[in-house]
């Protein structure tokens, strides 16, 4: 039996208007009316939505020959390049992901923690005593600087970070609805994407050549990939190294910027949580604001605020697969040829899983409640199963460091009305403008008056 079909929609267009306006509301409506699995229509495609932990587990556990990530992510091939990631068979993708693992081990995360702190401190040095910031722009720049250094290395960061930020912007401009259907059409956005990719490959290629000539190694992802060996004991080609670096920057930079933005927006819109977070800064990081890996792991109040931002506003609101072979769940069959999706943003608002889901309540992740651990695949802002994000720890650490530096040095206050999600882009941040007012604290660390007040 086919999954139940969602009502509404228009002849020919299906549900595309409702989907484009607010895909999360559409998925929540379907869940309310039809339950954990249902179909809706987009022009040229039937989409099966899966909502709630059991359905999400079925989605994440399906093998690649049933639900194919590779087929829906073909638009990334002109960005990452040929012979890497979604241009290779799934088994080869697994091998390529494994090349990256040494770059994500503790000793590396320790080094990145210092880079993250240094970059953030340098960034805010020029801010003066008071002013206003465009929070998404700040987070975007900061995460580009941090990514450039942690991934490609100090050489590139010193020379061309701002150019890198522009190139990245052009690469991202190559991702839109048209690219999803045909990423090779002769459009200006795609030409800019291709020019940016060529330039980035040149820049990274220069660093690789210099490192080979000097015989020096950094402590970054580039070094990890330059020392990796394939099954035959051979070094990776420059093309593979560049492609994998692009994939990682692409997967991790903008998503981190957006989650860092939401973390700050939500925390400052619900100020009664601030005292606990500030008290923890003082207790754990001490007077000089040290950021060792061990200390960062003890920032549990901030961690819960980051998780609550992930729950309420996951940057990737939809995860898609092509149904390559008939997909069965709960007695229904979604036939081959359609699309399947889960929506982290919608499923995080299901009340059976997260109590009072529209309420900002980081304590839901505390030891007494642990709402994310009661069922598998409940909190899925970083995906699940085989394609689960490999950069979760890196991303969470980065957001912790950025907000630790900001909270220790500044009092911040959001300007204007509450921020709503902007669904017009692939990575969903708050609608602009999203500005904040800041005032530099008299002492770098958090003092007793800052801690006045208590959480409900
Ligand atoms: C807040 C930041 C981030 C968010 C919200 C995020 C989210 C996700 C999600 C939802 C997926 C699964 C996609 C799917 O199932 O279709 C994923 C995959 C992935 N992420 Fe992240 N990510 C973040 C940061 C990072 C970082 C920092 C890195 C690298 C250092 C990274 C590398 C990857 C890679 C390589 C994959 C593909 C894994 C595979 O297909 O096997 N991500 N991410």
């Amino acid at each position: 039996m086919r999954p139940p079909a969602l009502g509404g929609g228009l002849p020919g267009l299906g549900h595309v208007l409702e989907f484009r306006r607010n895909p999360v509301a559409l998925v929540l409506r379907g869940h309310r009316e039809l339950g954990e699995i249902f179909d809706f229509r987009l022009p040229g495609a039937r989409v099966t939505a899966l909502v709630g932990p059991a359905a999400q587990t079925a989605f994440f556990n399906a093998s690649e020959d049933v639900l194919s990530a590779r087929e829906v992510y073909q638009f990334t091939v002109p960005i990452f390049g040929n012979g890497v990631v979604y241009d290779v068979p799934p088994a080869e993708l697994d091998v390529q992901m494994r090349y990256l693992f040494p770059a994500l081990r503790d000793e590396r995360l320790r080094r990145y923690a210092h880079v993250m702190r240094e970059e953030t401190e340098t960034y805010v040095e020029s801010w003066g005593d008071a002013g206003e910031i465009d929070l998404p722009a700040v987070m975007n720049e900061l995460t580009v600087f941090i990514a450039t250094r942690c991934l490609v290395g100090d050489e590139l960061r010193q020379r061309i970070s701002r150019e890198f930020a522009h190139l990245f912007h052009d690469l991202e401009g190559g991702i839109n609805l048209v690219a999803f259907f045909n990423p090779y059409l002769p459009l200006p956005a795609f030409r800019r994407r291709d020019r940016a990719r060529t330039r980035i490959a040149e820049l990274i290629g220069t660093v690789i050549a210099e490192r080979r000539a000097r015989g020096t190694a950094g402590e970054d992802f580039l070094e990890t990939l330059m020392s990796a060996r394939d099954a035959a004991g051979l070094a990776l080609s420059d093309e593979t190294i560049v492609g994998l670096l692009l994939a990682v920057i692409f997967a991790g930079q903008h998503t981190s910027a957006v989650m860092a933005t939401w973390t700050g927006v939500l925390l400052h819109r619900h100020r009664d949580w601030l005292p606990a977070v500030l008290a923890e800064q003082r207790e754990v990081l001490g007077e000089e604001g040290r950021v060792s890996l061990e200390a960062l792991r003890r920032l549990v109040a901030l961690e819960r605020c980051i998780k609550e931002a992930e729950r309420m506003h996951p940057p990737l609101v939809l995860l898609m697969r092509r149904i390559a072979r008939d997909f069965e769940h709960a007695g229904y069959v979604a036939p081959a040829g359609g699309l399947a999706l889960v929506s982290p943003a919608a499923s995080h608002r299901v009340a059976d899983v997260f109590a009072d889901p529209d309420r900002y309540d980081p304590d839901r992740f505390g030891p007494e409640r642990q709402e994310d651990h009661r069922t598998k695949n409940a909190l899925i802002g970083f995906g699940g199963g085989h394609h689960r994000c490999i950069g979760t720890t890196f991303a969470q650490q980065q957001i912790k460091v950025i907000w630790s530096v900001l909270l220790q040095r500044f009092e911040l206050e959001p300007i204007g009305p509450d921020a709503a999600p902007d669904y017009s882009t692939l990575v969903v941040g708050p609608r602009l403008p999203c500005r904040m007012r800041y005032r530099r604290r008299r002492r770098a660390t958090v003092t007793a008056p800052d801690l006045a007040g208590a959480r409900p």
Side-chain angles (χ1 to χ4, degrees):
M1 193 176 20
R2 298 274 279 255
L6 186 67
L10 298 167
L13 290 174
H15 298 87
V16 72
L17 299 181
E18 189 181 352
F19 183 77
R20 287 196 66 179
R21 202 166 41 244
N22 186 337
V24 179
L26 178 140
V27 175
L28 282 171
R29 174 168 83 85
H31 179 249
R32 224 173 23 249
E33 292 173 7
L34 301 167
E36 64 167 0
I37 175 167
F38 62 90
D39 280 358
F40 64 95
R41 285 172 298 116
L42 295 179
R46 173 172 283 271
V47 187
T48 300
L50 296 140
V51 189
Q56 281 147 208
T57 300
F59 175 95
F60 288 128
N61 288 352
S63 62
E64 185 71 23
D65 58 352
V66 176
L67 295 187
S68 168
R70 183 176 181 230
E71 283 194 39
V72 289
Y73 287 131
Q74 280 305 299
F75 67 87
T76 62
V77 173
I79 298 173
F80 304 160
N82 295 324
V84 288
V85 190
Y86 298 113
D87 190 45
V88 296
E92 177 61 18
L93 169 63
D94 290 349
V95 172
Q96 294 185 345
M97 289 294 112
R98 280 199 290 275
Y99 293 141
L100 293 163
F101 289 169
L104 293 159
R105 294 204 184 115
D106 270 11
E107 63 272 18
R108 281 299 178 76
L109 289 169
R110 217 176 286 285
R111 151 95 185 133
Y112 305 147
H114 290 291
V115 172
M116 291 163 179
R117 194 194 62 176
E118 218 171 270
E119 286 293 338
T120 315
E121 283 177 348
T122 310
Y123 192 88
V124 298
E125 245 165 35
S126 60
W127 276 15
D129 284 340
E132 273 185 33
I133 47 166
D134 173 355
L135 191 62
V138 165
M139 291 304 172
N140 205 44
E141 276 200 326
L142 254 176
T143 50
V144 168
F145 294 159
I146 292 170
T148 312
R149 253 179 93 184
C150 294
L151 273 63
V152 195
D154 295 344
E155 303 98 316
L156 211 55
R157 169 72 181 97
Q158 278 156 16
R159 274 183 247 155
I160 49 96
S161 265
R162 284 233 145 73
E163 181 184 3
F164 219 63
H166 284 124
L167 291 170
F168 240 80
H169 183 261
D170 283 354
L171 265 191
E172 265 183 3
I175 292 194
N176 51 37
L177 207 61
V178 180
F180 190 77
F181 294 102
N182 185 352
Y184 300 100
L185 288 173
L187 299 178
F190 294 168
R191 273 200 287 273
R192 278 196 298 275
R193 170 199 69 194
D194 296 341
R195 269 199 304 271
R197 199 211 176 269
T198 307
R199 176 73 181 138
I200 289 177
E202 257 169 41
L203 291 166
I204 299 178
T206 309
V207 179
I208 296 176
E210 283 172 5
R211 282 196 188 180
R212 286 210 182 103
R214 283 201 317 261
T216 50
E219 279 186 285
D220 42 47
F221 282 60
L222 174 58
E223 193 279 327
T224 301
L225 293 174
M226 285 179 70
S227 352
R229 294 294 174 266
D230 68 12
L234 299 173
L236 310 185
S237 69
D238 286 10
E239 265 307 296
T240 305
I241 294 177
V242 170
L244 286 174
L245 282 177
L246 279 168
V248 169
I249 304 179
F250 211 81
Q253 182 268 321
H254 198 182
T255 42
S256 297
V258 165
M259 196 179 279
T261 301
W262 280 120
T263 300
V265 166
L266 290 170
L267 183 57
H268 288 86
R269 290 272 171 200
H270 302 87
R271 302 189 74 83
D272 31 359
W273 296 88
L274 266 173
V277 172
L278 295 174
E280 177 183 77
Q281 287 289 315
R282 193 178 53 166
E283 280 157 29
V284 175
L285 300 181
E287 290 291 306
E288 318 95 71
R290 291 181 301 272
V291 290
S292 69
L293 204 56
E294 291 67 29
L296 286 171
R297 286 181 181 156
R298 285 170 49 221
L299 293 176
V300 291
L302 181 56
E303 190 167 297
R304 284 176 208 151
C305 295
I306 296 170
K307 267 192 174 182
E308 186 63 337
E310 174 195 343
R311 185 189 71 81
M312 296 191 83
H313 293 293
L316 299 179
V317 299
L318 301 171
L319 305 177
M320 307 270 258
R321 303 286 184 263
R322 172 70 64 191
I323 306 176
R325 278 205 341 241
D326 288 2
F327 169 73
E328 291 183 37
H329 177 68
Y332 295 107
V333 179
L339 293 168
L341 70 75
V342 301
S343 166
S347 64
H348 291 169
R349 301 292 179 124
V350 172
D352 306 345
V353 185
F354 295 105
D356 200 358
D358 295 333
R359 188 175 127 95
Y360 180 76
D361 181 8
D363 268 358
R364 66 176 78 245
F365 301 114
E368 297 85 26
R369 290 166 56 193
Q370 296 193 48
E371 291 182 4
D372 52 331
H373 287 149
R374 287 189 311 211
T375 41
K376 218 169 164 233
N377 291 315
L379 187 69
I380 54 165
F382 289 97
H386 197 72
H387 290 287
R388 191 180 149 73
C389 182
I390 62 166
T392 309
T393 312
F394 182 99
Q396 289 168 335
Q397 173 178 315
Q398 173 169 222
I399 299 169
K400 265 187 188 172
V401 174
I402 292 175
W403 276 108
S404 292
V405 172
L406 290 181
L407 288 168
Q408 283 172 11
R409 282 163 183 68
F410 300 97
E411 283 174 53
L412 292 118
E413 182 196 351
I415 301 171
D418 205 356
D422 174 3
Y423 293 116
S424 68
T425 50
L426 189 78
V427 183
V428 175
R431 246 183 245 156
L432 302 179
C434 176
R435 299 184 69 78
M436 275 186 149
R437 209 170 278 122
Y438 64 83
R439 204 153 49 85
R440 194 176 283 271
R441 294 184 195 280
R442 260 166 287 129
R443 286 152 45 93
T445 46
V446 180
T447 55
D450 300 320
L451 308 178
R455 221 177 45 216

